[in-house]
Amino acid sequence: RMVGELFDSYILVEQGDDAFLIDKHAAHERILFEKLKANQEGISAQALLSPIPCRFSPDSAAILLSNSAMLEELGFEIDAFGDNTILLRQIPMDLSQEDAADTLDSIASDLLNGRREAKDTVRDEILHTVACKAAIKAGWHTDEKELLALVSQVMAREDLKYCPHGRPICVSLSKKQLEKQFRRT
């Protein structure tokens, strides 16, 4: 049973002789990531009504432009605009316009640092970013129905242990551990 929410960040659940604290952001992020990753089709993209000019360092702009075909497969459409500025014409569907430039900058940094992973690895990193930005935020008030939906998924699935960044989704505390803390044993 869901007992409630702590600090607008953690969901408290009681099951048998155990209590669980679920990080609502980490859980939602993982669920969204798995959903996005399961869609093996190309990443859905959204054409922008007005292109967004983004200024990068000369090296970042150059490496992004030289990898434009890979970026297009990931949902980005870019064009050179001169003076280390790139026009963003299309971005992944679930990525907000506000996060698009930072995401491209992160990709450029990885490429400049010699990371030349497979397209699937880069795709996963973009999906991590999209899932993180779209997930319920810690510190925000969340509707009880949304919390219950998260609880039911986390408690029913053994594979939901960590968010895409490696942070735990859920920690447990047994009744015996709690009684020990209160010196009842």
Side-chain angles (χ1 to χ4, degrees):
R1 83 177 169 95
M2 184 177 85
V3 177
E5 186 178 10
L6 300 170
F7 314 117
D8 283 332
S9 299
Y10 306 100
I11 308 166
L12 180 59
V13 176
E14 178 185 2
Q15 184 178 44
D17 281 345
D18 293 310
F20 298 90
L21 283 172
I22 299 171
D23 181 324
K24 70 179 182 182
H25 173 76
H28 193 223
E29 180 181 0
R30 184 63 189 209
I31 290 164
L32 289 175
F33 173 73
E34 294 297 332
K35 182 179 169 190
L36 290 168
K37 189 172 178 167
N39 180 6
Q40 289 301 316
E41 300 168 11
I43 295 175
S44 298
Q46 58 180 326
L48 301 174
L49 291 175
S50 299
I52 301 172
C54 304
R55 190 168 169 85
F56 296 96
S57 71
D59 291 340
S60 291
I63 203 150
L64 288 170
L65 290 169
S66 67
N67 284 279
S68 62
M70 179 212 37
L71 290 171
E72 194 166 322
E73 291 178 34
L74 298 169
F76 291 96
E77 183 183 326
I78 61 172
D79 286 320
F81 195 60
D83 198 28
N84 304 318
T85 300
I86 290 177
L87 282 182
L88 268 173
R89 297 190 180 281
Q90 175 179 291
I91 60 175
M93 183 65 76
D94 295 310
L95 188 65
S96 72
Q97 292 182 27
E98 294 78 25
D99 296 324
D102 286 342
T103 301
L104 275 180
D105 195 41
S106 177
I107 292 170
S109 177
D110 286 345
L111 292 169
L112 287 169
N113 288 321
R115 289 181 67 187
R116 298 279 195 267
E117 285 108 350
K119 180 178 64 173
D120 288 345
T121 303
V122 176
R123 180 179 189 269
D124 281 359
E125 289 180 11
I126 289 174
L127 295 180
H128 286 170
T129 301
V130 170
C132 184
K133 301 297 183 184
I136 295 169
K137 303 295 183 249
W140 288 6
H141 179 73
T142 306
D143 182 72
E144 188 173 337
K145 287 180 184 177
E146 286 182 274
L147 295 175
L148 285 169
L150 281 175
V151 166
S152 66
Q153 287 194 49
V154 169
M155 299 306 285
R157 293 179 54 187
E158 287 292 319
D159 62 328
L160 294 178
K161 301 270 187 229
Y162 301 96
C163 79
H165 301 104
R167 290 185 302 112
I169 289 174
C170 183
V171 295
S172 64
L173 180 65
S174 70
K175 182 177 180 182
K176 188 173 260 179
Q177 290 171 314
L178 194 56
E179 287 173 343
K180 187 176 178 181
Q181 288 291 319
F182 286 103
R183 298 183 187 149
R184 290 185 172 268
T185 59

